[in-house]
């Protein structure tokens, strides 16, 4: 039996904006999601058959029968809708796939495994949610599983590639994310990892300044550099050069204290020189995965 998790691919962006901006259409450009592992597939299927309760489907208020019928459903925005298909991975977990938190953990793990300027969400813009199991040639909703969510639309300025690559194995990253988001915290290091995971997923759907600060926090608090070695340590561990790491640190400090600059008045953040958003995301990916692996 296969498990189908619906996901919605969205552009990683510099500036947040409203749902009517048409920015989400940038993700239509992705034609392939490539993953070298054998435990997950990424498919685009515009319509699918779904098992539903016959009486509920026909609007009967009091449902007295469990008889099911097979109906055809379609996804919203098929160019951006991707099914994450597991043939054994999600089904053989101990404990097995549980509530919406596990789906959310899966999406975080996938986002940690790509440096491309897109991210996986389960909202907005689709009519399906949760996860589904294959059953006699159609899908059946696993009603105990509710949706994950990566917030609102963003203004896209990055070029979206035709092919997105999921690097390495998602399995150990997913297991680590799942553990640290649900385990009892017993040390400062574990607390730093838990907070870093929350700040990472917040960064994906925030404006540039919040995202930059959150991604920097992830690097700073998982790599734990000394006060005077931050730029060097972040550069060595993430592939970012020292100059970009320094500019990033200075920008985050200035945004936290916008009225303490040399110039008169409040800081004009448009004048700050900072790394590109995809570079900061890539650095946070590296820092988090290294820290999770080291503490495994």
């Amino acid at each position: 039996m296969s498990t189908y998790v619906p996901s919605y691919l969205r552009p990683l962006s510099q500036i947040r904006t409203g749902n009517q901006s048409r920015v989400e259409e940038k993700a239509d450009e992705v034609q392939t999601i490539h993953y070298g592992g054998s435990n997950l597939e990424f498919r685009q299927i515009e319509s699918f058959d779904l098992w539903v309760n016959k009486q509920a489907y026909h609007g009967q208020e009091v449902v007295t029968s469990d008889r099911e019928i097979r109906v055809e459903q379609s996804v919203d925005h098929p160019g951006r809708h991707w099914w994450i298909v597991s043939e054994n991975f999600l089904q053989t977990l101990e404990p097995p796939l549980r509530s919406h938190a596990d789906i959310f953990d899966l999406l975080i793990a996938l986002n940690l495994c790509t440096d491309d300027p897109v991210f996986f969400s389960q909202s907005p813009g689709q009519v399906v949610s949760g996860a589904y199991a294959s059953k006699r040639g159609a899908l059946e909703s696993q009603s105990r599983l509710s949706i994950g969510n990566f917030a609102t639309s963003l203004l896209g300025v990055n070029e979206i590639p035709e092919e997105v690559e999921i690097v390495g194995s998602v399995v150990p990253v997913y297991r680590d994310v799942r553990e640290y988001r649900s385990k009892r915290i017993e040390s400062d290091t574990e607390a730093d990892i838990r907070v870093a995971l929350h700040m990472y997923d917040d960064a994906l759907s925030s404006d540039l300044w919040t995202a930059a600060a959150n991604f920097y926090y992830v690097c700073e608090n998982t790599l734990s550099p000394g006060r005077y070695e931050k730029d060097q340590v972040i550069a060595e561990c993430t592939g970012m050069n020292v100059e970009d790491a320094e500019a990033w640190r200075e920008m985050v400090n200035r945004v936290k204290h916008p009225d303490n600059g040399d110039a008169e008045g409040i800081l004009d953040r448009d004048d700050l020189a900072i790394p590109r958003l995809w570079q900061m995301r890539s650095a946070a990916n590296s820092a988090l995965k290294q820290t999770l692996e080291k503490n495994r």
Side-chain angles (χ1 to χ4, degrees):
M1 182 178 70
S2 303
T3 296
Y4 286 70
V5 177
S7 68
Y8 183 75
L9 199 65
R10 305 177 61 196
L12 186 70
S13 312
Q14 297 280 81
I15 304 170
R16 186 173 59 189
T17 187
N19 288 332
Q20 306 303 316
S21 63
R22 303 175 65 88
V23 175
E24 303 290 80
E25 294 177 7
K26 280 182 168 286
D28 289 346
E29 297 176 26
V30 176
Q31 301 300 314
T32 305
I33 297 178
H34 176 72
Y35 173 51
S38 59
N39 37 54
L40 294 174
E41 290 184 52
F42 298 84
R43 305 176 189 170
Q44 282 193 305
I45 304 170
E46 296 186 13
S47 62
F48 58 99
D49 288 343
L50 181 68
W51 291 108
V52 298
N53 180 277
K54 181 178 179 179
Q55 291 179 328
Y57 182 75
H58 290 296
Q60 187 166 322
E61 291 185 8
V62 179
V63 176
T64 59
S65 169
D66 60 0
R67 184 180 178 187
E68 293 181 321
I69 59 173
R70 184 166 164 168
V71 299
E72 185 177 13
Q73 297 285 326
S74 60
V75 301
D76 270 358
H77 307 294
R80 285 161 263 165
H81 187 287
W82 290 84
W83 293 95
I84 304 167
V85 185
S86 167
E87 298 294 345
N88 53 50
F89 168 43
L90 295 176
Q91 298 89 322
T92 57
L93 286 172
E94 289 296 336
L97 192 65
R98 300 166 298 182
S99 64
H100 71 280
D102 287 337
I103 293 179
F104 195 67
D105 294 344
L106 175 64
L107 298 180
I108 292 176
L110 288 172
N111 290 323
L112 282 168
C113 289
T114 182
D115 291 337
D116 288 310
V118 292
F119 65 95
F120 291 89
S121 172
Q122 277 210 319
S123 176
Q126 59 190 49
V127 295
V128 291
S129 60
Y132 297 79
S134 58
K135 173 184 170 182
R136 303 195 312 274
L139 298 184
E140 180 179 48
S141 175
Q142 295 181 259
S143 57
R144 71 184 187 279
L145 301 174
S146 57
I147 64 170
N149 179 27
F150 277 127
T152 56
S153 297
L154 309 172
L155 175 62
V157 297
N158 290 301
E159 291 300 320
I160 305 300
E162 290 188 358
E163 179 172 323
V164 168
E165 185 172 9
I166 307 297
V167 180
S169 176
V170 173
V171 176
V173 180
Y174 173 68
R175 291 187 189 278
D176 290 340
V177 170
R178 189 188 198 207
E179 177 183 1
Y180 276 97
R181 277 180 31 87
S182 58
K183 71 181 295 184
R184 178 176 178 176
I185 298 301
E186 298 180 346
S187 70
D188 288 345
T189 298
E190 292 177 348
D192 283 340
I193 294 174
R194 169 80 65 84
V195 174
L197 286 167
H198 284 292
M199 297 197 77
Y200 175 83
D201 65 61
D202 283 343
L204 291 170
S205 56
S206 299
D207 66 23
L208 173 62
W209 310 108
T210 302
N214 281 18
F215 285 143
Y216 191 82
Y217 174 92
V218 169
C219 295
E220 183 179 39
N221 286 271
T222 57
L223 300 176
S224 300
R227 180 177 179 183
Y228 299 106
E229 297 85 29
K230 291 182 179 181
D231 304 337
Q232 187 67 37
V233 171
I234 289 175
E236 289 176 355
C237 294
T238 67
M240 180 177 283
N241 63 51
V242 175
E243 291 76 18
D244 280 343
E246 180 183 10
W248 188 9
R249 173 178 53 81
E250 291 177 349
M251 183 279 293
V252 171
N253 288 336
R254 292 292 288 113
V255 170
K256 287 194 296 185
H257 307 287
D259 55 349
N260 291 341
D262 295 332
E264 293 183 2
I266 293 178
L267 172 68
D268 182 356
R269 295 185 296 188
D270 291 337
D271 293 337
L272 289 171
I274 59 171
R276 298 289 292 174
L277 185 56
W278 67 266
Q279 290 178 291
M280 295 185 279
R281 185 263 187 97
S282 177
N285 283 359
S286 297
L288 254 176
K289 287 189 290 185
Q290 288 177 53
T291 302
L292 288 169
E293 183 176 1
K294 183 175 67 176
N295 290 277
R296 189 171 295 157

